[in-house]
Amino acid sequence: MVADMHCHILPGIDDGSRNRKETEKMLKLSFAEGIDTIVATPHFFCGMSEKLLKERDEAFEQTKRMAAGIRPDAVLYPGNEVFYSTEVPDALKRGDAKTINGTRYVLVEFEECADFGTIEKACQNLFYAGYWPILAHIDRFEGTRSEDHVKELVKQQVVMQVNTDAVMGADGWRTRHYILKLMKHGLIHILGTDAHGCEHRRPQMKSCLKEIEKRFGYDYRCAVSEKNPQKIIKGEKLYG
């Protein structure tokens, strides 16, 4: 079961899919890429209206039915890409912000200029509140552009996610080289397409998995695309 752990596929909720027609196309593209498990992660910011949160939940149910109609064995799970602020733990407890499939895992992002101290403290706050942080597209943040910083966060049991297109060079060859170096040392745990539509930032998986297996072997490819995602979806710890 190949999993996309970061995808903006819900129609009309954020800057991802614009409508149901585009969501249907994104689903078909995802399935053609070999993806059969999708975690829908629309953006969440503290202070979002109750109306939009309700629309998010309704859009998830619609998309889940749509996916089943296209491919009955495919599975869609709820989540959010949560922009961190000090109010996030309370938003998670209320259910305004969604964890991954109702587990303790939460996909979290920051401003690109966020330094290591900011990210580390945020992760510690989430742990103290009973949640297990997953850092979205870690190559984008100032504080996780150092391998030593990533290693320190991994020691603290933070989960690391990268985007499949970044692995293939979409964010530049320097970023690609950095991600591959982290993978070589086993510091990347899961993948996400971070797809936002059918054209720009479309779902991509096959070429990335082929590249990972070529460089790091079948077992690591399975770990980041199947085994680790399934543990997260079930709420099982990756560490220890």
Side-chain angles (χ1 to χ4, degrees):
M1 301 285 284
V2 172
D4 179 357
M5 299 296 287
H6 181 173
C7 188
H8 298 265
I9 201 166
L10 301 188
I13 298 302
D14 60 5
D15 59 344
S17 173
R18 294 166 295 177
N19 50 51
R20 294 188 64 182
K21 185 175 181 180
E22 184 164 33
T23 291
E24 182 179 6
K25 290 181 179 178
M26 289 178 70
L27 286 167
K28 290 178 178 178
L29 286 170
S30 295
F31 299 152
E33 286 287 311
I35 298 165
D36 45 31
T37 301
I38 300 173
V39 179
T41 55
H43 290 289
F44 175 87
F45 302 89
C46 286
M48 293 176 72
S49 69
E50 290 186 13
K51 179 176 180 292
L52 184 56
L53 297 179
K54 183 178 179 181
E55 289 174 354
R56 173 200 61 190
D57 295 343
E58 291 172 349
F60 174 79
E61 294 301 327
Q62 291 172 358
T63 305
K64 187 175 181 179
R65 290 192 295 270
M66 193 185 303
I70 298 169
R71 182 171 170 176
D73 63 335
V75 189
L76 190 74
Y77 293 102
N80 268 134
E81 181 180 13
V82 178
F83 185 82
Y84 187 81
S85 69
T86 55
E87 293 82 17
V88 161
D90 288 337
L92 287 164
K93 289 177 182 177
R94 289 194 304 270
D96 292 349
K98 297 286 186 182
T99 62
I100 303 297
N101 193 35
T103 67
R104 293 186 180 189
Y105 285 102
V106 54
L107 182 69
V108 60
E109 69 167 339
F110 301 86
E111 293 183 348
E112 290 189 13
C113 63
D115 61 21
F116 175 72
T118 298
I119 293 172
E120 182 181 40
K121 184 176 180 181
C123 290
Q124 289 172 349
N125 288 342
L126 287 168
F127 278 123
Y128 293 152
Y131 300 101
W132 300 338
I134 302 171
L135 292 191
H137 40 59
I138 64 166
D139 52 280
R140 293 189 185 176
F141 311 124
E142 187 66 34
T144 47
R145 289 177 184 152
S146 159
E147 184 177 354
D148 287 340
H149 288 164
V150 172
K151 284 180 179 178
E152 180 58 35
L153 291 169
V154 169
K155 285 180 183 177
Q156 297 175 37
Q157 303 192 2
V158 178
V159 176
M160 302 293 166
Q161 180 259 315
V162 294
N163 291 351
T164 53
D165 63 351
V167 176
M168 301 308 295
D171 293 336
W173 294 104
R174 181 175 295 180
T175 296
R176 168 182 157 88
H177 176 75
Y178 176 57
I179 291 172
L180 292 175
K181 183 171 69 169
L182 295 177
M183 286 185 164
K184 181 179 180 180
H185 297 139
L187 296 172
I188 302 301
H189 305 103
I190 58 173
L191 304 170
T193 66
D194 197 7
H196 278 64
C198 298
E199 301 298 332
H200 177 62
R201 296 176 74 177
R202 60 187 290 173
Q204 297 182 46
M205 184 65 72
K206 280 184 178 179
S207 59
C208 177
L209 295 185
K210 185 177 180 180
E211 181 72 8
I212 291 172
E213 184 168 344
K214 175 184 175 182
R215 288 177 176 270
F216 310 115
Y218 174 80
D219 288 346
Y220 186 67
R221 192 270 286 173
C222 285
V224 296
S225 65
E226 300 180 46
K227 293 181 181 179
N228 290 346
Q230 286 302 317
K231 284 185 177 181
I232 289 169
I233 288 166
K234 292 176 183 178
E236 300 173 357
K237 279 199 170 185
L238 293 187
Y239 297 91

